[in-house]
Amino acid sequence: MTMKWMQGVVICLVVIVTSLAVLLSSPLRKNMTLLTSFDRSGFQACQRGRSVAERLSSVRLLCWVMTMPSNLQKKARYVRETWGKRCDVLLFFSSVENKALSVIGLNVSEGRRHLSDKTFSAFRYVYKHYFNQADWFLKADDDTYVIVDNLKYYLSKFDKNRGLYFGATFSRITPQGYNSGGAGYVLSKEALKRFGERGRNQTACPYHRGIEDVAMGHCMYNLGVKLVNTLDEKNRTRFHAYHPLTHMEAGDKYLNSVSAYGYRTGAMNISDLPLTFHYIQGRNMKAVEFYLYHVHHVGDGGTVLT
């Protein structure tokens, strides 16, 4: 149950209680005038809250996180304590199993040149054991922060039965581009199905010297999976391959050179409903969690809770 859904419920209860109080304390004609205007705005808020809650609950999201033994306490544990708890299924994959922390071992060596093997092995495991438990499948790193509510809301607009592939798109190397591994990327149910059935074909899905996001980009293209333009209606970014401050301020030369849609710095170029950010490590995830889910402000229509 998400916080936004709970807020919708609270609004509905407040509307009902307030309406009853008005009925019991004022003349009938005045009641009818007040209730007509009050009910219209109040119950519209209830309806909006219910609509969002229904959309979020309709999206079954599996999140799997790539980590390693040395990062379990420094990074991965903070994913579990923050955004990971909002996924319908949360899995961690490492080179070795850790039963105490529920980490699945893939028996793949660590190191950048093994990332493609590690990623493909994890997706095969998910396809074999969890395909029917979710409709959308997110791969993230252990320093990726995902705003799960926003991601579910965004995915609710798409058809899980189409071969679709979402992320922060880079333009080089593959025909339709590829999505940054660090920013996190999402496969639809149909995309994972195609990978599970045909992904062992080395021609269709080469390991590409260990560059896992490029390898997955080639694989998705060869399997006929469409890479979706994830910019919002104002051409602002939703998935982010770097830290928020990098996107807001100075930028990055590499990012400038590879971004598929033209990289622009500044907060005004980040979507109002961002989905992911990268390079948010360890305890910093708790700070982001606090700012997103616990801080309220009184300006711009904010609600004061007393």
Side-chain angles (χ1 to χ4, degrees), residues 144-161:
T144 308
Y145 189 95
V146 182
I147 307 175
V148 174
D149 297 340
N150 287 359
L151 179 58
K152 284 191 167 189
Y153 186 79
Y154 174 67
L155 292 173
S156 70
K157 306 172 186 177
F158 296 92
D159 183 358
K160 65 185 181 183
N161 296 312

Side-chain angles (χ1 to χ4, degrees), residues 24-130:
L24 293 172
S25 63
S26 302
L28 181 59
R29 181 175 296 178
K30 186 178 180 182
N31 288 346
M32 297 306 295
T33 302
L34 288 171
L35 285 174
T36 299
S37 59
F38 190 75
D39 288 355
R40 185 180 300 115
S41 61
F43 285 104
Q44 282 176 350
C46 290
Q47 188 175 14
R48 286 195 298 271
R50 185 166 58 248
S51 175
V52 170
E54 288 172 352
R55 288 179 68 167
L56 294 181
S57 64
S58 70
V59 177
R60 298 189 304 163
L61 178 67
L62 180 147
C63 308
W64 75 261
V65 178
M66 181 183 290
T67 187
M68 63 180 67
S70 61
N71 281 355
L72 297 185
Q73 292 297 333
K74 293 188 299 183
K75 296 182 180 180
R77 58 168 285 210
Y78 292 101
V79 173
R80 187 184 301 280
E81 293 173 6
T82 58
W83 64 265
K85 62 190 177 184
R86 298 183 183 90
C87 302
D88 297 290
V89 180
L90 175 65
L91 304 173
F92 291 88
F93 289 97
S94 179
S95 54
V96 295
E97 182 183 33
N98 185 313
K99 291 184 178 180
L101 297 174
S102 301
V103 177
I104 300 165
L106 294 173
N107 195 28
V108 176
S109 300
E110 296 293 352
R112 295 191 65 84
R113 65 193 183 96
H114 300 292
L115 287 179
S116 295
D117 190 9
K118 196 173 178 182
T119 299
F120 286 10
S121 295
F123 269 120
R124 290 190 195 106
Y125 186 98
V126 170
Y127 175 71
K128 181 178 180 180
H129 297 283
Y130 289 92

Side-chain angles (χ1 to χ4, degrees), residues 220-259:
M220 292 294 100
Y221 175 76
N222 291 332
L223 296 179
V225 173
K226 178 183 178 182
L227 188 151
V228 178
N229 181 339
T230 59
L231 298 182
D232 72 8
E233 64 280 357
K234 295 182 180 180
N235 289 321
R236 299 175 299 184
T237 50
R238 288 189 170 101
F239 288 84
H240 301 92
Y242 283 76
H243 190 279
L245 290 178
T246 304
H247 289 275
M248 291 171 64
E249 296 177 349
D252 179 86
K253 289 183 179 180
Y254 176 74
L255 192 56
N256 291 339
S257 68
V258 300
S259 178

Side-chain angles (χ1 to χ4, degrees), residues 156-173:
S156 70
K157 306 172 186 177
F158 296 92
D159 183 358
K160 65 185 181 183
N161 296 312
R162 294 182 59 202
L164 302 174
Y165 166 50
F166 306 82
T169 306
F170 290 171
S171 59
R172 292 183 175 178
I173 304 174

Side-chain angles (χ1 to χ4, degrees), residues 171-240:
S171 59
R172 292 183 175 178
I173 304 174
T174 67
Q176 67 175 352
Y178 66 96
N179 289 324
S180 162
Y185 51 82
V186 178
L187 272 58
S188 67
K189 196 176 192 74
E190 173 61 23
L192 181 62
K193 180 175 180 289
R194 295 182 194 181
F195 177 83
E197 293 175 348
R198 297 156 51 195
R200 290 187 181 275
N201 184 320
Q202 285 286 305
T203 301
C205 296
Y207 283 171
H208 210 282
R209 301 184 303 280
I211 308 175
E212 60 97 4
D213 45 12
V214 174
M216 184 57 69
H218 272 295
C219 181
M220 292 294 100
Y221 175 76
N222 291 332
L223 296 179
V225 173
K226 178 183 178 182
L227 188 151
V228 178
N229 181 339
T230 59
L231 298 182
D232 72 8
E233 64 280 357
K234 295 182 180 180
N235 289 321
R236 299 175 299 184
T237 50
R238 288 189 170 101
F239 288 84
H240 301 92

Side-chain angles (χ1 to χ4, degrees), residues 11-26:
I11 291 171
C12 292
L13 291 174
V14 170
V15 169
I16 294 168
V17 172
T18 306
S19 299
L20 289 173
V22 171
L23 279 170
L24 293 172
S25 63
S26 302

